[in-house]
Amino acid sequence: MLKVIAACGSGMGSSQIIKMKLEKVFKKLGIEASIYHTNIGDAKSQAANYDVVVCSDSLIGTFANAAAKKVIVIGLKNLLSEKEIEEKVLEKIVNVQ
């Protein structure tokens, strides 16, 4: 089971939306995942404990250390786009495994 963290600036609305969209995409693709959503500071400190971090493109740089430790970091241009989320999950998770 994948451990996934969805992050946004405050840990409220955007990260919750990302989490809900991820749940739909993972279900569609048959991927078992545990998804947690939080703010960027909390996510940065916990990222190494997760397999995947999902955030907006503008926050990707925050997770450079996590990416160096083999954590998959996915940046999104449009947080509401299930299509973009699915494409990036297929590219960065499914096709890598």
Side-chain angles (χ1 to χ4, degrees):
M1 179 178 289
L2 279 178
K3 287 180 61 182
V4 181
I5 191 166
C8 70
S10 67
M12 302 294 278
S14 298
S15 63
Q16 179 66 31
I17 290 169
I18 295 169
K19 178 184 176 184
M20 292 185 319
K21 299 289 184 182
L22 283 168
E23 287 171 340
K24 287 175 104 174
V25 168
F26 286 152
K27 183 176 181 178
K28 177 181 177 183
L29 298 175
I31 299 170
E32 287 190 46
S34 169
I35 307 168
Y36 173 65
H37 74 95
T38 190
N39 65 63
I40 193 72
D42 188 36
K44 182 180 178 181
S45 68
Q46 294 188 52
N49 299 322
Y50 286 82
D51 302 308
V52 181
V53 174
V54 183
C55 60
S56 72
D57 273 344
S58 64
L59 299 174
I60 279 185
T62 306
F63 300 101
N65 288 340
K69 294 177 181 169
K70 306 295 183 204
V71 175
I72 298 167
V73 180
I74 297 175
L76 302 173
K77 289 183 176 125
N78 181 351
L79 305 180
L80 301 175
S81 173
E82 283 180 39
K83 181 181 182 218
E84 179 185 3
I85 291 171
E86 183 174 343
E87 288 171 356
K88 291 193 174 177
V89 165
L90 285 169
E91 172 191 341
K92 300 208 176 222
I93 298 172
V94 175
N95 293 335
V96 174
Q97 293 180 345

Coordinates of all heavy atoms in Angstrom, one line a residue:
M1 N 0.8 -1.2 0.0 CA 0.0 0.0 0.0 C 0.9 1.2 0.0 O 1.8 1.4 0.8 CB -0.9 0.0 1.2 CG -1.8 1.3 1.3 SD -2.9 1.4 2.7 CE -4.1 0.1 2.2
L2 N 0.6 2.2 -0.9 CA 1.3 3.4 -1.0 C 0.9 4.3 0.2 O -0.3 4.4 0.5 CB 1.0 4.1 -2.3 CG 1.7 3.7 -3.5 CD1 1.2 4.6 -4.7 CD2 3.2 3.9 -3.4
K3 N 1.9 5.0 0.7 CA 1.6 6.1 1.7 C 1.8 7.4 1.0 O 2.9 7.7 0.5 CB 2.6 6.0 2.9 CG 2.3 4.8 3.8 CD 3.3 4.7 4.9 CE 3.2 6.0 5.8 NZ 4.2 6.0 6.9
V4 N 0.7 8.2 0.9 CA 0.7 9.4 0.1 C 0.4 10.6 1.0 O -0.5 10.5 1.9 CB -0.3 9.3 -1.0 CG1 -0.3 10.6 -1.8 CG2 0.0 8.1 -1.9
I5 N 1.1 11.7 0.9 CA 0.7 12.9 1.6 C 0.4 14.0 0.6 O 1.1 14.2 -0.4 CB 1.9 13.4 2.5 CG1 1.4 14.4 3.5 CG2 3.1 13.7 1.8 CD1 2.3 14.7 4.7
A6 N -0.8 14.7 0.8 CA -1.2 15.8 -0.1 C -1.0 17.1 0.7 O -1.4 17.2 1.9 CB -2.7 15.6 -0.5
A7 N -0.3 18.0 0.1 CA 0.1 19.2 0.8 C -0.4 20.5 0.1 O -0.4 20.6 -1.1 CB 1.6 19.3 1.1
C8 N -0.7 21.5 0.9 CA -1.0 22.9 0.4 C -0.5 23.9 1.5 O 0.0 23.5 2.5 CB -2.5 23.1 0.1 SG -3.5 23.2 1.6
G9 N -0.6 25.1 1.1 CA -0.1 26.2 2.0 C -0.6 26.1 3.4 O 0.2 26.1 4.4
S10 N -1.9 26.0 3.6 CA -2.5 26.0 4.9 C -2.9 24.7 5.4 O -3.2 24.5 6.6 CB -3.6 27.0 5.0 OG -4.7 26.5 4.2
G11 N -3.0 23.7 4.6 CA -3.4 22.4 5.0 C -4.9 22.2 5.1 O -5.4 21.2 5.7
M12 N -5.7 23.1 4.6 CA -7.1 23.1 4.7 C -7.7 22.7 3.4 O -7.8 21.5 3.0 CB -7.6 24.4 5.1 CG -7.0 24.9 6.4 SD -7.5 23.9 7.8 CE -9.1 24.6 8.2
G13 N -8.2 23.6 2.6 CA -9.0 23.3 1.4 C -8.3 22.6 0.3 O -8.7 21.6 -0.2
S14 N -7.2 23.1 -0.2 CA -6.5 22.6 -1.4 C -6.0 21.2 -1.1 O -6.2 20.3 -2.0 CB -5.4 23.5 -1.8 OG -5.8 24.7 -2.2
S15 N -5.4 20.9 0.0 CA -4.9 19.6 0.3 C -6.1 18.6 0.4 O -5.9 17.4 0.0 CB -4.0 19.5 1.5 OG -4.7 19.9 2.7
Q16 N -7.2 19.0 0.9 CA -8.4 18.1 1.0 C -8.9 17.8 -0.4 O -9.3 16.6 -0.7 CB -9.5 18.8 1.9 CG -10.7 17.9 2.0 CD -10.5 16.6 2.7 OE1 -9.7 16.5 3.6 NE2 -11.3 15.6 2.4
I17 N -8.9 18.8 -1.2 CA -9.3 18.6 -2.6 C -8.4 17.6 -3.3 O -8.8 16.7 -4.0 CB -9.4 19.9 -3.4 CG1 -10.6 20.7 -2.9 CG2 -9.6 19.7 -4.9 CD1 -10.6 22.2 -3.4
I18 N -7.1 17.8 -3.2 CA -6.1 16.9 -3.8 C -6.4 15.5 -3.3 O -6.4 14.5 -4.0 CB -4.7 17.3 -3.5 CG1 -4.3 18.7 -4.1 CG2 -3.7 16.3 -3.9 CD1 -3.0 19.3 -3.7
K19 N -6.6 15.3 -2.0 CA -6.8 14.0 -1.4 C -8.0 13.3 -2.0 O -8.0 12.2 -2.4 CB -7.0 14.1 0.1 CG -7.3 12.8 0.8 CD -7.6 12.9 2.3 CE -8.0 11.6 2.9 NZ -8.4 11.6 4.2
M20 N -9.1 14.1 -2.1 CA -10.3 13.5 -2.7 C -10.1 13.1 -4.2 O -10.6 12.0 -4.6 CB -11.5 14.5 -2.6 CG -11.9 14.7 -1.1 SD -13.4 15.7 -0.9 CE -13.2 17.0 -2.0
K21 N -9.4 13.9 -4.9 CA -9.2 13.6 -6.3 C -8.2 12.4 -6.4 O -8.4 11.5 -7.2 CB -8.5 14.8 -7.0 CG -9.4 16.0 -7.1 CD -10.6 15.9 -8.0 CE -11.4 17.1 -8.1 NZ -12.5 17.0 -8.9
L22 N -7.2 12.3 -5.5 CA -6.3 11.2 -5.5 C -7.1 9.9 -5.2 O -6.8 8.8 -5.8 CB -5.2 11.4 -4.5 CG -4.1 12.3 -4.9 CD1 -3.2 12.6 -3.7 CD2 -3.2 11.7 -6.0
E23 N -8.0 9.9 -4.3 CA -8.8 8.7 -3.9 C -9.5 8.2 -5.1 O -9.5 7.0 -5.4 CB -9.7 9.1 -2.8 CG -9.0 9.2 -1.4 CD -10.0 9.8 -0.3 OE1 -11.0 10.4 -0.6 OE2 -9.6 9.6 0.9
K24 N -10.1 9.1 -5.9 CA -10.9 8.7 -7.1 C -10.0 8.1 -8.1 O -10.3 7.0 -8.7 CB -11.6 9.9 -7.7 CG -12.8 10.4 -6.9 CD -13.4 11.6 -7.5 CE -14.7 11.3 -8.2 NZ -15.4 12.5 -8.7
V25 N -8.8 8.7 -8.4 CA -7.9 8.3 -9.4 C -7.3 6.9 -9.0 O -7.2 6.0 -9.8 CB -6.8 9.3 -9.6 CG1 -5.6 8.7 -10.5 CG2 -7.3 10.5 -10.3
F26 N -6.9 6.8 -7.7 CA -6.3 5.5 -7.2 C -7.3 4.4 -7.3 O -7.0 3.3 -7.7 CB -5.7 5.7 -5.8 CG -4.4 6.4 -5.7 CD1 -4.1 7.1 -4.6 CD2 -3.5 6.5 -6.8 CE1 -2.9 7.8 -4.4 CE2 -2.3 7.2 -6.6 CZ -2.0 7.8 -5.5
K27 N -8.5 4.7 -7.0 CA -9.6 3.7 -7.0 C -9.8 3.2 -8.5 O -9.8 2.0 -8.8 CB -10.9 4.2 -6.5 CG -12.0 3.2 -6.5 CD -13.3 3.7 -5.8 CE -14.3 2.6 -5.8 NZ -15.6 3.1 -5.2
K28 N -9.8 4.2 -9.4 CA -10.0 3.9 -10.8 C -8.8 3.0 -11.4 O -9.0 2.1 -12.1 CB -10.1 5.2 -11.6 CG -10.1 5.0 -13.1 CD -10.2 6.4 -13.8 CE -10.2 6.2 -15.3 NZ -10.2 7.5 -16.0
L29 N -7.6 3.3 -10.9 CA -6.4 2.6 -11.3 C -6.1 1.3 -10.5 O -5.2 0.6 -10.9 CB -5.2 3.5 -11.3 CG -5.3 4.7 -12.2 CD1 -4.1 5.6 -12.0 CD2 -5.4 4.3 -13.7
G30 N -6.9 1.1 -9.5 CA -6.7 -0.1 -8.7 C -5.5 -0.1 -7.8 O -4.9 -1.1 -7.5
I31 N -5.1 1.1 -7.4 CA -4.0 1.3 -6.5 C -4.4 1.5 -5.1 O -5.2 2.4 -4.8 CB -3.2 2.6 -6.9 CG1 -2.6 2.4 -8.4 CG2 -2.0 2.8 -6.0 CD1 -2.0 3.7 -9.0
E32 N -3.9 0.7 -4.2 CA -4.2 0.8 -2.8 C -3.3 1.9 -2.2 O -2.1 1.8 -2.3 CB -4.0 -0.5 -2.0 CG -5.1 -1.5 -2.3 CD -5.0 -2.7 -1.4 OE1 -4.8 -2.5 -0.2 OE2 -5.0 -3.8 -1.9
A33 N -3.9 2.9 -1.5 CA -3.1 3.9 -0.9 C -3.8 4.5 0.3 O -5.0 4.5 0.4 CB -3.0 5.1 -2.0
S34 N -2.9 4.9 1.2 CA -3.3 5.6 2.4 C -2.9 7.1 2.2 O -1.8 7.4 2.0 CB -2.6 5.0 3.6 OG -2.8 5.9 4.8
I35 N -3.9 8.0 2.2 CA -3.7 9.4 1.9 C -3.9 10.3 3.0 O -5.0 10.2 3.7 CB -4.5 9.8 0.7 CG1 -4.4 8.8 -0.5 CG2 -4.2 11.2 0.2 CD1 -5.4 9.0 -1.6
Y36 N -3.0 11.1 3.4 CA -3.0 12.1 4.5 C -2.9 13.5 3.8 O -2.1 13.7 2.9 CB -1.9 11.8 5.4 CG -1.7 12.8 6.5 CD1 -2.7 12.9 7.5 CD2 -0.6 13.6 6.6 CE1 -2.5 13.8 8.6 CE2 -0.4 14.5 7.7 CZ -1.4 14.6 8.6 OH -1.2 15.5 9.7
H37 N -3.7 14.4 4.3 CA -3.5 15.8 3.8 C -3.1 16.7 5.0 O -3.6 16.6 6.1 CB -4.8 16.3 3.1 CG -5.9 16.6 4.0 ND1 -6.2 17.8 4.4 CD2 -6.9 15.8 4.5 CE1 -7.3 17.8 5.2 NE2 -7.7 16.6 5.3
T38 N -2.3 17.7 4.6 CA -1.8 18.6 5.7 C -1.2 19.9 5.0 O -1.2 20.0 3.8 CB -0.7 17.9 6.5 OG1 -0.4 18.7 7.6 CG2 0.5 17.6 5.7
N39 N -0.6 20.7 5.9 CA 0.0 22.0 5.4 C 1.4 21.7 4.9 O 2.0 20.7 5.2 CB -0.1 23.1 6.5 CG 0.7 22.7 7.7 OD1 2.0 22.6 7.6 ND2 0.1 22.6 8.8
I40 N 2.0 22.7 4.3 CA 3.3 22.5 3.7 C 4.4 22.2 4.7 O 5.3 21.4 4.5 CB 3.7 23.7 2.7 CG1 4.9 23.4 1.8 CG2 3.9 24.9 3.5 CD1 4.5 22.4 0.8
G41 N 4.4 22.9 5.8 CA 5.4 22.7 6.9 C 5.4 21.3 7.4 O 6.4 20.7 7.6
D42 N 4.2 20.9 7.8 CA 4.0 19.5 8.3 C 4.4 18.5 7.3 O 5.1 17.5 7.6 CB 2.5 19.3 8.7 CG 2.3 18.0 9.5 OD1 3.2 17.6 10.3 OD2 1.2 17.4 9.3
A43 N 4.0 18.7 6.0 CA 4.4 17.7 5.0 C 5.9 17.7 4.8 O 6.4 16.6 4.6 CB 3.7 18.2 3.7
K44 N 6.5 18.8 4.8 CA 8.0 18.9 4.6 C 8.7 18.1 5.7 O 9.6 17.3 5.4 CB 8.5 20.3 4.6 CG 10.0 20.4 4.4 CD 10.4 21.9 4.4 CE 11.9 21.9 4.2 NZ 12.4 23.3 4.3
S45 N 8.2 18.2 6.9 CA 8.9 17.5 8.0 C 8.6 16.0 8.0 O 9.4 15.2 8.5 CB 8.5 18.1 9.4 OG 7.1 17.9 9.7
Q46 N 7.5 15.6 7.4 CA 7.1 14.2 7.4 C 7.3 13.5 6.0 O 7.1 12.3 5.9 CB 5.6 14.1 7.7 CG 5.2 14.5 9.1 CD 3.8 14.1 9.3 OE1 3.3 13.0 9.1 NE2 3.0 15.1 9.8
A47 N 7.7 14.2 5.0 CA 7.8 13.6 3.7 C 8.6 12.4 3.5 O 8.2 11.5 2.8 CB 8.3 14.7 2.7
A48 N 9.7 12.3 4.3 CA 10.6 11.1 4.2 C 9.9 9.8 4.7 O 10.3 8.7 4.3 CB 11.8 11.3 5.0
N49 N 8.8 10.0 5.4 CA 8.0 8.8 5.9 C 6.9 8.3 4.9 O 6.2 7.4 5.2 CB 7.3 9.1 7.2 CG 8.3 9.5 8.3 OD1 9.4 8.9 8.4 ND2 8.0 10.5 9.1
Y50 N 6.9 9.0 3.7 CA 5.8 8.7 2.7 C 6.5 8.2 1.4 O 7.7 8.5 1.2 CB 5.0 9.9 2.5 CG 4.0 10.2 3.6 CD1 4.4 10.8 4.7 CD2 2.7 9.7 3.6 CE1 3.5 11.1 5.8 CE2 1.8 9.9 4.6 CZ 2.2 10.6 5.7 OH 1.4 10.8 6.8
D51 N 5.7 7.5 0.6 CA 6.2 7.1 -0.7 C 6.0 8.2 -1.8 O 6.8 8.3 -2.7 CB 5.4 5.9 -1.2 CG 5.5 4.7 -0.2 OD1 6.6 4.4 0.1 OD2 4.5 4.2 0.2
V52 N 4.9 9.0 -1.6 CA 4.6 10.0 -2.6 C 4.1 11.3 -1.9 O 3.4 11.2 -0.9 CB 3.4 9.5 -3.5 CG1 3.0 10.5 -4.5 CG2 3.7 8.2 -4.1
V53 N 4.5 12.4 -2.4 CA 4.1 13.7 -2.0 C 3.4 14.4 -3.2 O 3.9 14.4 -4.3 CB 5.2 14.7 -1.5 CG1 4.7 16.1 -1.2 CG2 5.9 14.1 -0.3
V54 N 2.2 14.9 -3.0 CA 1.5 15.6 -4.1 C 1.1 17.0 -3.6 O 0.6 17.2 -2.5 CB 0.2 14.9 -4.4 CG1 -0.5 15.6 -5.6 CG2 0.4 13.4 -4.8
C55 N 1.5 18.0 -4.4 CA 1.3 19.4 -4.1 C 1.2 20.2 -5.3 O 1.3 19.7 -6.4 CB 2.5 19.9 -3.2 SG 4.1 19.8 -4.0
S56 N 1.0 21.5 -5.2 CA 1.0 22.4 -6.4 C 2.4 22.5 -6.9 O 3.4 22.4 -6.2 CB 0.4 23.8 -6.1 OG 1.3 24.5 -5.3
D57 N 2.5 22.8 -8.2 CA 3.8 23.0 -8.8 C 4.7 24.0 -8.1 O 5.9 23.9 -8.0 CB 3.7 23.5 -10.3 CG 3.5 22.4 -11.3 OD1 3.8 21.2 -10.9 OD2 3.1 22.6 -12.4
S58 N 4.0 25.1 -7.6 CA 4.8 26.1 -6.9 C 5.4 25.7 -5.6 O 6.3 26.4 -5.1 CB 3.8 27.3 -6.6 OG 2.8 26.9 -5.7
L59 N 5.0 24.5 -5.1 CA 5.6 24.0 -3.8 C 6.6 22.9 -3.9 O 7.1 22.4 -3.0 CB 4.4 23.6 -2.9 CG 3.4 24.7 -2.5 CD1 2.3 24.1 -1.7 CD2 4.1 25.8 -1.7
I60 N 6.8 22.5 -5.2 CA 7.7 21.3 -5.4 C 9.1 21.5 -4.8 O 9.6 20.6 -4.2 CB 7.8 21.0 -6.9 CG1 6.7 20.3 -7.4 CG2 9.1 20.3 -7.2 CD1 6.7 19.8 -8.8
G61 N 9.7 22.7 -4.9 CA 11.0 22.9 -4.4 C 11.1 22.7 -2.9 O 12.2 22.3 -2.4
T62 N 10.0 22.7 -2.2 CA 10.0 22.5 -0.7 C 10.4 21.0 -0.4 O 10.9 20.7 0.7 CB 8.6 22.7 -0.2 OG1 8.2 24.0 -0.5 CG2 8.5 22.6 1.3
F63 N 10.2 20.1 -1.4 CA 10.5 18.7 -1.1 C 11.7 18.2 -1.8 O 11.8 17.0 -2.1 CB 9.2 17.9 -1.6 CG 8.0 18.3 -0.8 CD1 7.1 19.2 -1.4 CD2 7.8 17.9 0.5 CE1 5.9 19.5 -0.6 CE2 6.7 18.3 1.2 CZ 5.8 19.1 0.7
A64 N 12.7 19.0 -2.1 CA 13.9 18.6 -2.7 C 14.7 17.5 -1.9 O 15.2 16.5 -2.5 CB 14.9 19.8 -3.0
N65 N 14.7 17.7 -0.6 CA 15.4 16.7 0.2 C 14.6 15.3 0.2 O 15.3 14.3 0.2 CB 15.5 17.2 1.7 CG 16.5 18.3 1.8 OD1 17.4 18.4 1.0 ND2 16.4 19.0 2.9
A66 N 13.3 15.4 0.2 CA 12.5 14.2 0.1 C 12.7 13.4 -1.2 O 12.9 12.2 -1.2 CB 11.1 14.5 0.4
A67 N 12.8 14.2 -2.3 CA 13.0 13.6 -3.6 C 14.3 12.9 -3.7 O 14.5 11.9 -4.3 CB 12.9 14.7 -4.7
A68 N 15.3 13.5 -3.0 CA 16.7 12.9 -3.0 C 16.7 11.6 -2.2 O 17.5 10.7 -2.4 CB 17.7 13.9 -2.3
K69 N 15.7 11.4 -1.3 CA 15.6 10.1 -0.6 C 14.6 9.2 -1.2 O 14.0 8.3 -0.6 CB 15.1 10.5 0.9 CG 16.2 11.2 1.6 CD 15.7 11.6 3.0 CE 16.8 12.4 3.7 NZ 16.4 13.0 4.9
K70 N 14.4 9.4 -2.5 CA 13.5 8.4 -3.3 C 12.0 8.6 -3.1 O 11.2 7.7 -3.4 CB 13.9 7.0 -3.1 CG 15.4 6.7 -3.4 CD 15.8 7.0 -4.8 CE 17.2 6.6 -5.0 NZ 17.8 7.3 -6.1
V71 N 11.6 9.7 -2.5 CA 10.2 10.0 -2.3 C 9.7 10.6 -3.7 O 10.4 11.5 -4.2 CB 9.9 11.0 -1.2 CG1 8.4 11.4 -1.2 CG2 10.3 10.4 0.1
I72 N 8.6 10.1 -4.2 CA 8.1 10.6 -5.5 C 7.4 11.9 -5.2 O 6.4 11.9 -4.3 CB 7.2 9.6 -6.2 CG1 7.9 8.3 -6.5 CG2 6.5 10.2 -7.4 CD1 7.0 7.1 -6.9
V73 N 7.7 13.0 -5.8 CA 7.1 14.3 -5.6 C 6.4 14.6 -6.9 O 6.9 14.7 -8.0 CB 8.1 15.4 -5.3 CG1 7.4 16.7 -5.1 CG2 8.9 15.0 -4.0
I74 N 5.0 14.8 -6.8 CA 4.2 15.2 -8.0 C 3.7 16.6 -7.8 O 3.0 16.9 -6.8 CB 3.0 14.2 -8.1 CG1 3.5 12.7 -8.4 CG2 2.1 14.6 -9.2 CD1 2.5 11.7 -8.4
G75 N 4.0 17.4 -8.7 CA 3.5 18.8 -8.7 C 2.3 18.9 -9.7 O 2.3 18.4 -10.8
L76 N 1.3 19.7 -9.3 CA 0.1 19.8 -10.1 C -0.1 21.3 -10.5 O 0.1 22.2 -9.7 CB -1.2 19.4 -9.3 CG -1.2 18.0 -8.8 CD1 -2.4 17.7 -7.9 CD2 -1.2 17.0 -10.0
K77 N -0.4 21.5 -11.8 CA -0.7 22.9 -12.2 C -2.2 23.2 -11.9 O -2.5 24.3 -11.5 CB -0.6 22.9 -13.7 CG 0.9 22.9 -14.2 CD 1.0 23.1 -15.7 CE 2.5 23.2 -16.0 NZ 2.9 22.2 -17.0
N78 N -3.1 22.2 -12.0 CA -4.5 22.4 -11.8 C -4.9 21.4 -10.7 O -5.1 20.2 -11.0 CB -5.3 22.2 -13.1 CG -6.8 22.4 -12.9 OD1 -7.3 22.6 -11.7 ND2 -7.5 22.5 -14.0
L79 N -5.1 21.8 -9.5 CA -5.5 20.9 -8.4 C -6.8 20.3 -8.6 O -7.1 19.3 -7.9 CB -5.4 21.7 -7.1 CG -4.1 22.5 -6.7 CD1 -4.3 23.2 -5.4 CD2 -2.9 21.5 -6.7
L80 N -7.7 20.8 -9.4 CA -9.0 20.3 -9.6 C -9.1 19.3 -10.7 O -10.1 18.7 -11.0 CB -10.0 21.4 -9.9 CG -10.1 22.5 -8.8 CD1 -11.0 23.6 -9.2 CD2 -10.6 21.9 -7.5
S81 N -8.0 19.1 -11.5 CA -8.0 18.3 -12.7 C -7.7 16.8 -12.4 O -6.5 16.4 -12.1 CB -7.0 18.8 -13.7 OG -6.9 17.9 -14.8
E82 N -8.7 16.0 -12.4 CA -8.5 14.5 -12.2 C -7.7 14.0 -13.4 O -6.9 13.1 -13.2 CB -9.8 13.8 -12.1 CG -10.5 13.9 -10.7 CD -11.8 13.2 -10.6 OE1 -11.9 12.1 -11.2 OE2 -12.7 13.7 -10.0
K83 N -7.9 14.6 -14.5 CA -7.1 14.1 -15.7 C -5.6 14.3 -15.5 O -4.8 13.4 -15.8 CB -7.6 14.9 -17.0 CG -6.9 14.5 -18.2 CD -7.3 15.3 -19.4 CE -6.6 14.8 -20.6 NZ -6.3 15.8 -21.6
E84 N -5.2 15.5 -15.0 CA -3.8 15.8 -14.8 C -3.3 14.9 -13.7 O -2.2 14.3 -13.8 CB -3.6 17.2 -14.3 CG -2.1 17.6 -14.1 CD -1.9 19.0 -13.5 OE1 -2.8 19.7 -13.3 OE2 -0.7 19.3 -13.3
I85 N -4.0 14.7 -12.6 CA -3.6 13.8 -11.5 C -3.4 12.4 -12.1 O -2.4 11.7 -11.8 CB -4.6 13.8 -10.4 CG1 -4.6 15.2 -9.7 CG2 -4.3 12.7 -9.4 CD1 -5.7 15.4 -8.7
E86 N -4.4 11.9 -12.8 CA -4.2 10.5 -13.4 C -3.0 10.4 -14.3 O -2.3 9.4 -14.2 CB -5.5 10.1 -14.2 CG -5.5 8.7 -14.7 CD -6.8 8.3 -15.4 OE1 -7.8 8.9 -15.1 OE2 -6.7 7.3 -16.1
E87 N -2.8 11.4 -15.2 CA -1.6 11.4 -16.1 C -0.3 11.3 -15.3 O 0.6 10.5 -15.6 CB -1.6 12.6 -17.0 CG -2.7 12.5 -18.0 CD -2.8 13.9 -18.8 OE1 -2.1 14.9 -18.5 OE2 -3.6 13.9 -19.8
K88 N -0.2 12.1 -14.2 CA 1.0 12.2 -13.4 C 1.2 10.9 -12.6 O 2.3 10.5 -12.4 CB 1.0 13.4 -12.6 CG 1.2 14.6 -13.6 CD 1.6 15.9 -12.9 CE 1.9 17.0 -13.9 NZ 2.1 18.3 -13.4
V89 N 0.1 10.4 -12.1 CA 0.2 9.1 -11.3 C 0.6 8.0 -12.2 O 1.5 7.2 -11.9 CB -1.2 8.8 -10.6 CG1 -1.2 7.3 -10.2 CG2 -1.4 9.7 -9.5
L90 N 0.1 7.9 -13.4 CA 0.5 6.9 -14.4 C 2.0 7.1 -14.7 O 2.7 6.1 -14.8 CB -0.4 7.0 -15.6 CG -1.8 6.4 -15.5 CD1 -2.6 6.8 -16.7 CD2 -1.8 4.9 -15.3
E91 N 2.4 8.3 -15.0 CA 3.8 8.6 -15.4 C 4.8 8.3 -14.2 O 5.8 7.7 -14.4 CB 3.9 10.0 -15.8 CG 5.3 10.5 -16.1 CD 5.4 12.0 -16.2 OE1 4.4 12.7 -16.5 OE2 6.5 12.6 -16.1
K92 N 4.5 8.8 -13.0 CA 5.5 8.8 -12.0 C 5.4 7.6 -11.0 O 6.3 7.3 -10.3 CB 5.4 10.1 -11.1 CG 5.6 11.3 -12.0 CD 6.2 12.4 -11.2 CE 6.5 13.5 -12.1 NZ 7.8 14.1 -11.7
I93 N 4.2 6.9 -11.0 CA 4.0 5.8 -10.0 C 3.8 4.5 -10.8 O 4.6 3.6 -10.6 CB 2.8 6.0 -9.1 CG1 3.1 7.3 -8.2 CG2 2.6 4.8 -8.2 CD1 1.9 7.7 -7.4
V94 N 2.8 4.4 -11.6 CA 2.5 3.1 -12.3 C 3.6 2.7 -13.3 O 4.0 1.5 -13.2 CB 1.1 3.2 -13.0 CG1 0.8 2.0 -13.8 CG2 0.0 3.5 -12.0
N95 N 4.0 3.6 -14.1 CA 5.1 3.2 -15.1 C 6.4 3.0 -14.5 O 7.3 2.5 -15.2 CB 5.1 4.3 -16.2 CG 3.8 4.3 -17.0 OD1 3.1 3.3 -17.1 ND2 3.5 5.4 -17.7
V96 N 6.6 3.4 -13.2 CA 7.9 3.3 -12.6 C 8.0 1.9 -11.9 O 9.1 1.4 -11.7 CB 8.2 4.4 -11.6 CG1 9.5 4.2 -10.8 CG2 8.2 5.8 -12.4
Q97 N 6.9 1.4 -11.4 CA 6.9 0.2 -10.6 C 7.2 -1.0 -11.4 O 7.0 -1.3 -12.4 CB 5.6 0.0 -9.8 CG 5.4 1.1 -8.8 CD 4.1 1.0 -8.1 OE1 3.2 0.2 -8.5 NE2 4.0 1.6 -7.0

